Amino acid sequence: MSAFEEVMAAELTWMARAGLPARTVRLTVQECLLTRIGRGPLGAREVSDAVEAAVRAACRLVRELDAPDELVEAVCRGALEAVRGHGGASAQWLPTAAGAAHAVLEELARERGDEATWRWLVRREPGW
């Protein structure tokens, strides 16, 4: 687990336990990713790794803490909106970042194949 994933897991745990709405989760994820992206010149790999870490943290909370499934969608949306909205060079990496999020969701869908929510999320458009 990366340091960024640990930070995201801590933030998401707090928000899930507090029962915050999906909009708040999405905006907080956006802020965390924009802070991460803004720390320096990053490449496609670093941006997609940050998105992947955020989605993995959300998936882990759903599995381990029985957080609501909607948390994963809110995190995916927030992460990809951060990449899209950042502009500049990082915005060009949106397809790569969306692919990273999609890969994490596919992995989770295979693990939890009996749950329709995960299959539905995987089939969603990569751009959310």
Side-chain angles (χ1 to χ4, degrees):
M1 178 183 332
S2 70
F4 184 70
E5 187 175 337
E6 287 181 28
V7 168
M8 287 304 307
E11 286 289 321
L12 294 172
T13 299
W14 177 85
M15 289 187 283
R17 287 187 176 146
L20 297 177
R23 177 171 164 69
T24 303
V25 172
R26 197 177 78 242
L27 291 173
T28 301
V29 169
Q30 277 181 321
E31 183 178 323
C32 288
L33 260 91
L34 287 172
T35 300
R36 173 71 181 102
I37 292 170
R39 285 192 180 146
L42 302 178
R45 178 66 180 184
E46 292 84 6
V47 171
S48 62
D49 284 351
V51 170
E52 182 179 331
V55 176
R56 280 195 187 286
C59 291
R60 195 176 75 205
L61 288 179
V62 169
R63 284 191 312 257
E64 295 175 5
L65 299 179
D66 201 30
D69 296 341
E70 294 80 24
L71 179 74
V72 175
E73 184 175 4
V75 169
C76 287
R77 285 182 184 275
L80 295 176
E81 286 170 5
V83 174
R84 182 183 302 117
H86 186 258
S90 62
Q92 72 184 347
W93 300 314
L94 181 61
T96 305
H102 191 77
V104 173
L105 293 175
E106 282 182 338
E107 181 182 315
L108 188 63
R110 281 191 302 272
E111 290 175 10
R112 297 173 65 130
D114 58 327
E115 295 183 34
T117 301
W118 301 109
R119 290 189 302 272
W120 176 78
L121 276 172
V122 168
R123 280 187 245 126
R124 298 277 315 249
E125 291 184 30
W128 298 89

